Amino acid sequence: NQLNNPTSNLRIISFSISPNPTTNYLNIEVTEPSTIQLVSLNGEVLNEWSIQNSQQVDVSDYASGMYMLLSTLSNETKRLVIQ
């Protein structure tokens, strides 16, 4: 009789960003290879990046304001402020 432990296969999928707020560049780190989308507050996808571990992305072309970053793998979102 085997015990089934569903949490033994659980992987934590998340991402982190720094610095926030930012002006030119954003560092994105992921725990699993992921696609991260930059989304405006009205829901428009402005850019997306496929990230394996960590990557620095250029956000200097975007207007100052608040944006959302969305992981398409985990559906996790984070607020981003570009100054």
Side-chain angles (χ1 to χ4, degrees), residues 4 6 10 13 21 27 31 44 47 52 57 66 73 83:
N4 193 6
L10 187 62
I13 300 170
N27 297 304
T31 57
E44 180 185 358
N47 205 339
Q52 299 301 310
V57 296
M66 188 175 299
L73 184 61
Q83 294 181 328

Side-chain angles (χ1 to χ4, degrees), residues 35-38 45-50 72:
T35 298
I36 304 295
Q37 295 179 328
L38 178 66
V45 176
L46 304 173
N47 205 339
E48 67 178 33
W49 303 280
S50 294
T72 60

Side-chain angles (χ1 to χ4, degrees), residues 68-83:
M68 299 299 291
L69 290 167
L70 168 69
S71 167
T72 60
L73 184 61
S74 65
N75 286 326
E76 179 183 6
T77 60
K78 295 192 183 297
R79 282 188 302 178
L80 171 66
V81 176
I82 297 177
Q83 294 181 328

Side-chain angles (χ1 to χ4, degrees), residues 11-63:
R11 295 191 321 225
I12 297 174
I13 300 170
S14 66
F15 72 100
S16 61
I17 58 173
S18 66
N20 190 13
T22 188
T23 52
N24 296 315
Y25 293 96
L26 181 67
N27 297 304
I28 304 174
E29 293 185 16
V30 296
T31 57
E32 294 285 331
S34 304
T35 298
I36 304 295
Q37 295 179 328
L38 178 66
V39 183
S40 68
L41 292 183
N42 64 9
E44 180 185 358
V45 176
L46 304 173
N47 205 339
E48 67 178 33
W49 303 280
S50 294
I51 300 180
Q52 299 301 310
N53 293 308
S54 65
Q55 185 174 329
Q56 186 178 70
V57 296
D58 184 354
V59 294
S60 62
D61 289 340
Y62 299 101

